[in-house]
């Protein structure tokens, strides 16, 4: 294998793959360095397996909500088998074939910077090889699960996102520390697979970064599923009875919660502590700040780029891929960069619970903090004709945050089954700065859920 390339990519997740592919399409020689599975967190331990665990419960709920369907149930063994299949049985041969077919070399091992444009790769057997990049190095090492300093937590064998998405058995009782995206998605998945689930969240609601009504409606849905939600509570201690007995969590102010396993889902940390950042004057273990072309700030020369979670701008697969396309083109000589909308303001996010939580852009509070003259309009998607055709009990709040001075949407949140498929229209409206008067002439099909757009504009007064 060559030791000299135009571009070396450290990290073979979606962001790294896309950066390498984009640079390669522009004629550059590219190698991707990956110590685990090519395809990264999303393919094997996050996006794909988690959605496989969620989908059967969502489908059963949809069926049982529909008059004429009786007794749809979730098959646990079949669900786990499908999860395994969507995670390619944790075999990256298909991803390697794709990368090589795209003209990239795959180098197995742990990559570390050794100075400008130099990367040392340590193979599994301990041998080290130094590679040189003629043009650029791209860091795409992502993030890992953060573990809070809770007394006794490390000793009880806590699960993180990788443990729960690869679980072979369903615990009878599951404790979840954290009510963010991972916490609520796995709460729903494992409740439908048979666990008695308890979620403990330190903030006053689930998904605290989203609109307040999001947490309220999701908690109501969890209550219907039998999921216990404890908000405004901090876990201060954890113990396990014996080597494999139940786990008990102690809450600040008194009270305990018990489960057979505990999932810790309180956030992420950048995996930048052991990639040689100190050799180029950057701080290990921190997010790496970049400019709008994804070039690392604080590094001399135009050669170090950082894409995806490692730069901390938006910890989402789709934003990492977007950044990667920007970086790949820039490395190849194109004058391109992200926009304020691209990976900062108009970032779409979907939580695949039932109901879906789909949002893009600013929340009402964020818009107020920016001094925007705003107006907020809401509509219950359950009042659309499409909701009636989809079954009983279909409900959820949809909201637009509108900049009154410019008469454009700056934020949108949709709650309800399948609303994740509606959010791209809002993303287009925000990025394109489409005015409300123009949107009035965008006719939604009847009877589809997209009719909620018409109802929201009517609520505004158009």
């Amino acid at each position: 294998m060559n030791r000299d390339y135009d571009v070396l990519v450290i990290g073979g997740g979606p962001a790294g793959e896309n950066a390498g592919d984009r640079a390669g399409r522009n004629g550059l020689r590219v190698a991707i360095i990956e110590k685990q599975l090519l395809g990264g967190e999303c393919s094997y331990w996050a996006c794909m397996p988690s959605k496989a665990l969620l989908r059967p419960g969502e489908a059963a709920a949809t069926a049982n909500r529909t008059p004429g369907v009786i007794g749809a149930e979730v098959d646990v063994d079949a669900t786990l088998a499908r999860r395994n299949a969507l995670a390619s049985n944790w075999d990256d041969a298909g991803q390697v074939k794709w990368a090589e077919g795209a003209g990239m070399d795959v180098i197995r091992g742990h990559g570390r910077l050794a100075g400008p444009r130099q990367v040392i790769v340590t193979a599994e057997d301990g041998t080290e090889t130094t590679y040189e990049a003629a043009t650029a190095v791209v860091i795409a090492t992502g993030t890992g699960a953060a573990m809070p300093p809770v007394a006794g937590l490390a000793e009880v064998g806590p699960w993180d996102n990788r443990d729960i998405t690869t679980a072979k058995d369903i615990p009878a009782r599951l404790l979840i520390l954290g009510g963010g995206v991972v916490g609520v998605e796995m709460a729903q998945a494992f409740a439908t697979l048979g666990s008695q689930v308890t979620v403990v969240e330190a903030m006053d609601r689930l998904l605290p970064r989203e609109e307040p009504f999001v947490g309220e409606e999701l908690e109501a849905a969890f209550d219907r599923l039998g999921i216990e939600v404890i908000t405004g509570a901090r876990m201060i201690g954890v113990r396990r009875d014996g080597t494999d007995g139940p786990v008990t969590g102690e809450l600040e102010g008194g009270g305990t919660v018990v489960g057979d396993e505990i999932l810790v889902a309180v956030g992420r940390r950048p995996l930048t502590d052991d990639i040689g950042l100190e050799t180029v004057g950057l701080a290990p273990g921190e997010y790496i700040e970049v400019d709008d072309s994804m070039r690392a700030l604080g590094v001399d020369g135009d050669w170090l780029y950082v894409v995806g979670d490692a730069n901390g701008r938006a910890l989402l697969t789709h934003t990492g891929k977007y950044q990667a396309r920007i970086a790949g083109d820039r490395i190849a000589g194109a004058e391109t960069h992200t926009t304020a909308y691209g990976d900062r303001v108009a970032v779409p996010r979907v939580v695949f619970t039932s109901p879906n939580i789909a949002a893009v852009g600013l929340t009402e509070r964020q818009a107020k903090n920016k001094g925007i003259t705003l107006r907020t309009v809401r509509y219950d998607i359950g009042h659309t004709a499409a909701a009636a055709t989809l079954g009983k009990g279909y409900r959820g709040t949809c909201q637009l945050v509108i900049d009154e001075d410019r008469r454009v949407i700056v934020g949108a949140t949709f709650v309800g089954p399948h609303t994740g498929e509606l959010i791209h229209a809002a993303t287009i409206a925000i990025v394109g700065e489409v005015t409300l008067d123009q949107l009035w002439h965008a006719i939604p099909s009847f009877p589809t859920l997209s009719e909620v757009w018409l109802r929201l504009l009517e609520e505004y007064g158009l």
Side-chain angles (χ1 to χ4, degrees):
M1 182 178 288
N2 294 328
R3 293 193 182 185
D4 297 321
Y5 292 90
D6 294 312
V7 181
L8 293 170
V9 182
I10 305 176
E17 288 179 323
N18 274 264
D21 181 46
R22 199 77 171 197
R25 289 186 187 192
N26 285 288
L28 300 180
R29 297 166 300 147
V30 178
I32 295 181
I33 302 161
E34 176 54 58
K35 65 179 179 180
Q36 296 182 341
L37 297 177
L38 194 67
E41 199 80 7
C42 186
S43 298
Y44 305 103
W45 300 288
C47 310
M48 297 307 291
S50 68
K51 303 318 170 268
L53 293 170
L54 281 160
R55 177 56 185 156
E58 178 190 41
T62 299
N64 290 326
R65 198 168 50 235
T66 305
V69 178
I70 300 173
E73 297 181 350
V74 174
D75 184 318
V76 174
D77 290 339
T79 298
L80 296 181
R82 177 61 174 163
R83 181 271 317 269
N84 296 350
L86 282 186
S88 302
N89 292 297
W90 295 277
D91 182 340
D92 66 355
Q95 295 277 54
V96 171
K97 182 178 180 181
W98 168 82
E100 292 175 344
M104 294 180 280
D105 286 344
V106 177
I107 301 173
R108 298 289 192 180
H110 181 74
R112 295 178 184 84
L113 292 171
R117 296 184 176 86
Q118 284 193 335
V119 177
I120 294 176
V121 178
T122 304
E124 189 175 358
D125 63 5
T127 59
E128 293 186 346
T129 306
T130 299
Y131 295 88
E132 186 88 21
T135 304
V137 175
V138 180
I139 293 174
T141 49
T143 56
M147 285 288 163
V150 176
L153 182 60
E155 289 72 40
V156 302
W159 284 4
D160 61 15
N161 68 288
R162 289 193 171 201
D163 296 306
I164 198 161
T165 56
T166 59
K168 294 184 172 115
D169 299 300
I170 307 302
R173 298 170 299 178
L174 176 64
L175 284 181
I176 298 179
L177 180 56
V181 176
V182 173
V184 298
E185 285 193 346
M186 291 300 93
Q188 174 128 21
F190 275 71
T192 60
L193 292 170
S195 290
Q196 177 59 54
V197 178
T198 300
V199 180
V200 178
E201 166 57 47
M203 301 295 284
D204 62 356
R205 64 182 186 272
L206 298 175
L207 297 175
R209 295 185 180 181
E210 300 297 345
E211 299 285 7
F213 67 82
V214 166
E216 295 167 4
E217 295 185 26
L218 184 57
E219 187 169 343
F222 277 11
D223 184 63
R224 292 190 291 271
L225 278 173
I227 299 171
E228 181 182 10
V229 176
I230 303 172
T231 56
R234 292 174 56 85
M235 191 175 291
I236 60 173
V238 183
R239 69 177 187 274
R240 185 186 289 275
D241 295 340
T243 57
D244 59 358
V247 174
T248 300
E250 179 185 354
L251 304 181
E252 189 175 49
T256 58
V257 286
V258 180
D260 297 296
E261 300 292 348
I262 181 169
L263 165 66
V264 178
V266 296
R268 309 288 291 174
R269 61 179 181 85
L271 296 177
T272 61
D273 53 324
D274 188 23
I275 57 171
L277 292 182
E278 66 280 0
T279 68
V280 295
L282 297 178
E286 303 291 335
Y287 289 110
I288 305 168
E289 191 176 357
V290 296
D291 66 13
D292 288 341
S293 295
M294 300 296 112
R295 291 177 296 189
L297 298 180
V299 177
D300 292 336
D302 181 13
W303 67 272
L304 185 61
Y305 291 73
V306 188
V307 296
D309 286 11
N311 64 38
R313 285 168 72 123
L315 309 189
L316 295 162
T317 297
H318 42 278
T319 51
K321 292 165 73 172
Y322 165 74
Q323 294 169 358
R325 293 190 290 269
I326 296 288
D329 285 354
R330 183 70 184 222
I331 291 167
E335 289 296 323
T336 185
H337 55 81
T338 67
T339 69
Y341 288 127
D343 65 345
R344 282 168 287 167
V345 177
V347 177
R349 49 205 185 267
V350 180
V351 184
F352 289 83
T353 48
S354 186
N356 282 177
I357 312 297
V360 62
L362 303 175
T363 63
E364 187 174 9
R365 173 176 289 185
Q366 289 169 338
K368 286 180 180 177
N369 290 341
K370 286 181 175 289
I372 294 173
T373 303
L374 64 88
R375 182 177 168 193
T376 301
V377 294
R378 294 181 183 175
Y379 191 81
D380 187 339
I381 198 169
H383 295 159
T384 63
T389 69
L390 292 172
K392 297 179 179 180
Y394 191 110
R395 62 176 72 90
T397 299
C398 295
Q399 172 184 284
L400 299 180
V401 178
I402 297 163
D403 181 333
E404 286 278 70
D405 293 336
R406 296 187 296 139
R407 291 178 66 80
V408 297
I409 298 166
V410 294
T413 301
F414 297 156
V415 178
H418 314 298
T419 54
E421 300 301 333
L422 294 176
I423 203 62
H424 193 53
T427 304
I428 293 170
I430 294 172
V431 173
E433 298 183 325
V434 181
T435 68
L436 299 181
D437 302 293
Q438 291 172 313
L439 283 174
W440 178 250
H441 296 286
I443 306 169
S445 299
F446 181 90
T448 68
L449 291 175
S450 59
E451 189 187 16
V452 74
W453 279 93
L454 171 61
R455 302 305 172 206
L456 286 164
L457 292 176
E458 288 176 339
E459 288 293 310
Y460 182 79
L462 292 178

